[in-house]
Amino acid sequence: MTGTKLIGAGLLALSACAKGATGPAVGSGPVASVTVAPAAATVLAGDTVRLTDTTKDAAGVPLTGRVVTWSSSAPTIASVSATGLVTGLAVGSATVTATSEGRSGAAAIRVGLVFAALSAALEYTCGRTTGGAVYCWGLNASGQLGDGSTTNSSTPVAIGGGIAFAAISAHGDHACGRTSAGAVYCWGNNSFGQLGDGTTTNRSTPVPVSGGLSFAAISVNGTHTCGRVASGAGYCWGDNSSGQLGDGTTTNRSTPVAVTGGISFTGLSAGGNHTCGHTAGGVAYCWGLNASGQLGDGSTTNRSTPVPVGGGITFAAISPGGAHTCGRTTAGMAYCWGLNASGQLGGGTTSNSATPVAVTGGLSFAAVGVGGNHTCGRTISGTSYCWGDNSFGQLGDGSTTNSPTPVAVSGGLALTGGSEGASHSCAHTTSGTAYCWGRNASGQLGDS
């Protein structure tokens, strides 16, 4: 006798049997039990998964030809056809039930999303799908989830407006997105004009940034926002109490103002109360608050215009965080400077440094991201390492012990993109599955 096992459906289909062989027993009588396989499944929004039912009699023998009806406890999240085909419609969970002759079996269905990018913020997180849709989850007191409400959510909710974004950036209590045409929209807390719409009114759905500029990149942090146009000129708006807008003043701005100095930036990133950028030649500049040496110019003096980072290091990328900054060279070496009370500089000490110090361990990083008081880096192979504050498990090593040197993130996942929030971290795989770890007081990990 030959046969083929259909794994996905959980059925055993038998081909022709040898002459005289008997087939499997067929039950009789009423249905005593119904089982559904698989008993639990995850399906992506817009995708499908096939469920199968098995009916049995009181003796546990399978029955054939029985009428089975299918239903979903949440048809707007996961619908089910008359043949058991489940379609994911929205993020969330549903129970799909198969019923025959008064007996039922069920499967737990979770509908997820495929993310192309993630951005972890203060107490919330946002993610962009491959199609440009943006979902956010976590704290929503200022409307930073963008769904038109101020209700927290521990699962992803779609932002309003139906805008397709090519890039997103979230931090502090506000977020911004950039379209492929360069238009920027922001939402959330606007106390300092960080949404760039000319007001200081909070917004729970995206509003366009004033000025008609076309941005090539956007970066959000703390209570200010910065963007870079195609020519390399930098513009910032929002809180300017420490000179973080780089316009030579400490005056808040609710619309974009140009960063002074005539520097053409290849990269530009906003930190907690400071901003940094680098040129095509790898020269790094920072400006704003410098109380802990986070500008890297060898001093602790605030600057309202860009000053070069000391050390003569050529950087391929710069990432400012709460009160420290890190940069990555073209060779993948990481350097950090600024506040180091939790070991977030990664140099093996807890001493602040006003100039760059090398991260220990000899690792070669493809990307480095900075959070509130912790830092994470990803190697070319996708292995993630984190260091610094670990009070909430944001280093991802299974402990809550701070580390002044890089420790590997547990789980053995190959992660291709990541982002660090104030006290949590997120990353996604090449297939777009998102993972988060650390503080979850407001549901910012998105795990319900």
Side-chain angles (χ1 to χ4, degrees):
M1 182 186 298
T2 60
T4 302
K5 189 176 182 183
L6 183 59
I7 301 295
L11 297 177
L12 187 64
L14 298 178
S15 65
C17 295
K19 185 177 180 179
T22 59
V26 177
S28 60
V31 173
S33 66
V34 179
T35 57
V36 176
T42 298
V43 60
L44 301 175
D47 208 347
T48 60
V49 63
R50 170 71 65 183
L51 300 181
T52 61
D53 64 274
T54 301
T55 56
K56 294 182 179 180
D57 64 13
V61 179
L63 298 166
T64 60
R66 302 307 168 100
V67 175
V68 176
T69 58
W70 293 87
S71 63
S72 171
S73 64
T76 59
I77 292 175
S79 64
V80 61
S81 73
T83 60
L85 184 67
V86 176
T87 301
L89 299 175
V91 176
S93 299
T95 300
V96 172
T97 303
T99 302
S100 180
E101 299 178 18
R103 304 292 183 174
S104 297
I109 302 297
R110 182 179 177 87
V111 181
L113 294 164
V114 172
F115 289 105
L118 295 169
S119 189
L122 181 61
E123 291 279 343
Y124 71 104
T125 308
C126 291
R128 179 178 61 84
T129 69
T130 52
V134 173
Y135 293 80
C136 298
W137 54 96
L139 184 67
N140 198 26
S142 301
Q144 56 263 55
L145 301 190
D147 67 337
S149 79
T150 53
T151 303
N152 295 0
S153 178
S154 61
T155 57
V157 292
I159 68 167
I163 305 164
F165 289 108
I168 57 167
S169 181
H171 222 287
D173 291 324
H174 75 293
C176 295
R178 178 182 60 83
T179 70
S180 58
V184 170
Y185 296 78
C186 299
W187 58 95
N189 192 343
N190 199 25
S191 303
F192 298 92
Q194 58 263 50
L195 302 190
D197 67 339
T199 77
T200 53
T201 303
N202 292 0
R203 309 289 187 175
S204 61
T205 56
V207 292
V209 172
S210 301
L213 293 165
S214 178
F215 289 97
I218 195 79
S219 179
V220 167
N221 207 319
T223 50
H224 75 294
T225 308
C226 292
R228 176 178 57 84
V229 298
S231 67
Y235 291 83
C236 296
W237 56 95
D239 183 17
N240 199 25
S241 55
S242 300
Q244 57 263 52
L245 302 190
D247 67 339
T249 78
T250 53
T251 303
N252 295 353
R253 310 287 186 176
S254 61
T255 57
V257 292
V259 175
T260 62
I263 302 167
S264 179
F265 294 102
T266 300
L268 185 65
S269 296
N273 289 294
H274 70 295
T275 308
C276 295
H278 71 282
T279 67
V283 179
Y285 294 85
C286 294
W287 56 96
L289 185 66
N290 199 25
S292 301
Q294 56 262 53
L295 302 189
D297 68 339
S299 79
T300 53
T301 303
N302 293 359
R303 311 287 186 175
S304 61
T305 57
V307 292
V309 173
I313 303 165
T314 300
F315 290 102
I318 298 290
S319 180
H324 74 294
T325 307
C326 293
R328 179 181 58 84
T329 69
T330 54
M333 289 188 63
Y335 292 83
C336 299
W337 55 95
L339 184 67
N340 196 32
S342 300
Q344 56 263 52
L345 302 190
T349 76
T350 53
S351 300
N352 293 0
S353 178
T355 54
V357 295
V359 173
T360 62
L363 296 164
S364 179
F365 293 103
V368 175
V370 174
N373 291 308
H374 75 293
T375 310
C376 293
R378 176 180 53 83
T379 67
I380 294 174
S381 66
T383 303
S384 293
Y385 295 83
C386 297
W387 55 95
D389 184 24
N390 199 25
S391 304
F392 301 98
Q394 58 263 52
L395 302 190
D397 67 339
S399 79
T400 53
T401 303
N402 294 357
S403 178
T405 57
V407 293
V409 173
S410 300
L413 295 166
L415 301 171
T416 188
S419 178
E420 284 59 55
S423 298
H424 73 293
S425 304
C426 293
H428 64 85
T429 64
T430 54
S431 63
T433 303
Y435 293 84
C436 294
W437 57 95
R439 182 173 169 85
N440 199 27
S442 300
Q444 56 264 51
L445 302 190
D447 65 340
S448 300

